[in-house]
Amino acid sequence: MKARKAAMIVDCHVNVYEDSQMLPLHTTSTAHARPGELSPRSDPDTVYAAMKDVDKAIIFSLRYKDSVGIDGDDEVTARAVAKYPDKLVGFACVDPRMPNYMDLLVHAVEDLKLKGVKFGPIYNGVSLLDPRLVPLYEYLQRNNLPLTMHMGTTYGRVAPIEYGRPLDVDAIATRYPDLKMIMAHMAHPWYEECIVVARKQPNVYCEVSALFYRPWQFYNILIAAQEYLITHRNKIFWGTDFPFSQVQESIDGLRGINKQVEGTNLPRVAQATMDHILHSNPFEHWWHGGYPG
């Protein structure tokens, strides 16, 4: 009898940037990012070491220099993937305020061979409904490339919070029905909006990175997802948001989510829900026909 193959763990949300791409603003602004200590280093070697206990990781850099002080680029992502191709899969990062952002994206996809896009509306101060994004949506849909979006609030002072709400995702998903879209961080604190959008839109997904350290909110997110019946539909994916969260603490935070309601009559997050999320596989769902490699 063959041994059962261990279920995969894929970290779908990992940030990568060189030390030289961290500006002073990053150091000052992250003081209120999360409870506990935060080591901001996230260069390719640091990322690879941190991902030792996962099978694969989706990585991307950040063009957020004026909002949270990270001035990344696609080259650092491509270098990381080239050095560790068995572990890392790279996405491009876009800032639609840059006049040449689409040229940079085409270079990232066609020359650097990156496999998707990360965009932070709240960090770049650009709404998902902004017409500057139309070429992006058209290019991604045409080329079967997924779009991961920071959804939810952030700690950056100049980031417009309104652009972090997930209801605009519904409008874009309706206009571009074949575009695969992923809402990061369950759009906290607007997780109910996130859940109902993912429920109704076939090609919209969400993920739980950087949520475990607000355990009461995280518990309510997962209970709401169960009640809206999306936890068994391959709609919710697992990630860390490294370096803002580490792999093991993120796993432990999910596995131990019911500890805070022990001794009460409150509903429990089902073991099946935890398993579905922890062993979710973006490579089976974020690209039409599966990951093209």
Side-chain angles (χ1 to χ4, degrees):
M1 183 176 179
K2 289 185 178 181
R4 185 176 179 180
K5 186 178 179 180
M8 286 184 69
I9 297 181
V10 178
D11 190 336
C12 74
H13 193 125
V14 178
N15 304 288
V16 62
Y17 40 81
E18 302 288 4
D19 290 355
S20 61
Q21 294 173 321
M22 288 189 289
L23 308 180
L25 175 61
H26 185 57
T27 302
T28 58
S29 63
T30 54
H32 305 292
R34 60 158 291 181
E37 294 185 5
L38 168 64
S39 176
R41 294 197 65 188
S42 202
D43 59 273
D45 292 336
T46 299
V47 164
Y48 180 73
M51 295 296 116
K52 65 181 179 64
D53 293 327
V54 304
D55 296 283
K56 293 279 188 182
I58 294 174
I59 67 169
F60 32 74
S61 199
L62 307 172
R63 300 185 191 269
Y64 299 163
K65 64 180 180 180
D66 53 343
S67 54
V68 292
I70 301 177
D71 190 15
D73 57 36
D74 296 323
E75 278 66 29
V76 66
T77 305
R79 287 195 301 273
V81 172
K83 190 170 185 179
Y84 304 112
D86 294 336
K87 177 79 70 170
L88 307 179
V89 173
F91 278 22
C93 55
V94 298
D95 180 351
R97 299 170 299 178
M98 301 172 68
N100 64 336
Y101 94 89
M102 282 301 301
D103 292 333
L104 293 172
L105 174 59
V106 172
H107 166 66
V109 171
E110 299 184 9
D111 299 326
L112 302 180
K113 307 303 181 185
L114 302 185
K115 303 301 185 182
V117 167
K118 168 67 186 303
F119 169 51
I122 193 171
Y123 291 114
N124 294 142
V126 178
S127 165
L128 288 172
L129 302 178
D130 192 294
R132 287 174 288 183
L133 286 165
V134 169
L136 173 69
Y137 300 142
E138 292 176 345
Y139 181 85
L140 297 181
Q141 183 170 250
R142 185 167 62 249
N143 290 281
N144 189 25
L145 297 170
L147 174 63
T148 287
M149 306 154 292
H150 176 95
M151 285 283 110
T153 190
T154 187
Y155 50 85
R157 186 182 67 84
V158 301
I161 286 180
E162 65 193 279
Y163 293 160
R165 299 198 71 152
L167 290 182
D168 288 346
V169 175
D170 187 39
I172 299 304
T174 300
R175 294 177 196 172
Y176 301 93
D178 291 327
L179 174 59
K180 297 272 191 171
M181 306 175 74
I182 303 95
M183 297 178 285
H185 319 303
M186 300 296 291
H188 71 101
W190 305 292
Y191 57 87
E192 289 172 324
E193 294 179 6
C194 170
I195 288 168
V196 298
V197 171
R199 180 176 72 154
K200 74 186 287 282
Q201 293 289 355
N203 289 320
V204 174
Y205 307 92
C206 41
E207 49 99 320
V208 299
S209 64
L211 293 177
F212 76 90
Y213 50 72
R214 299 182 186 96
W216 182 242
Q217 183 187 69
F218 192 25
Y219 163 81
N220 282 278
I221 289 170
L222 297 177
I223 292 298
Q226 287 182 166
E227 292 176 344
Y228 278 99
L229 305 179
I230 72 165
T231 53
H232 63 290
R233 293 177 53 201
N234 297 308
K235 283 286 188 176
I236 307 178
F237 293 81
W238 181 85
T240 59
D241 197 19
F242 182 86
F244 297 94
S245 298
Q246 304 289 325
V247 168
Q248 194 58 55
E249 64 177 351
S250 299
I251 293 173
D252 293 344
L254 174 62
R255 290 293 194 198
I257 194 64
N258 288 322
K259 291 180 180 178
Q260 61 196 312
V261 296
E262 288 179 359
T264 77
N265 290 325
L266 289 169
R268 301 305 196 259
V269 176
Q271 185 65 48
T273 294
M274 300 180 206
D275 292 341
H276 276 301
I277 293 172
L278 183 58
H279 300 298
S280 55
N281 189 346
F283 300 107
E284 294 178 351
H285 301 285
W286 288 13
W287 293 262
H288 294 284
Y291 178 60

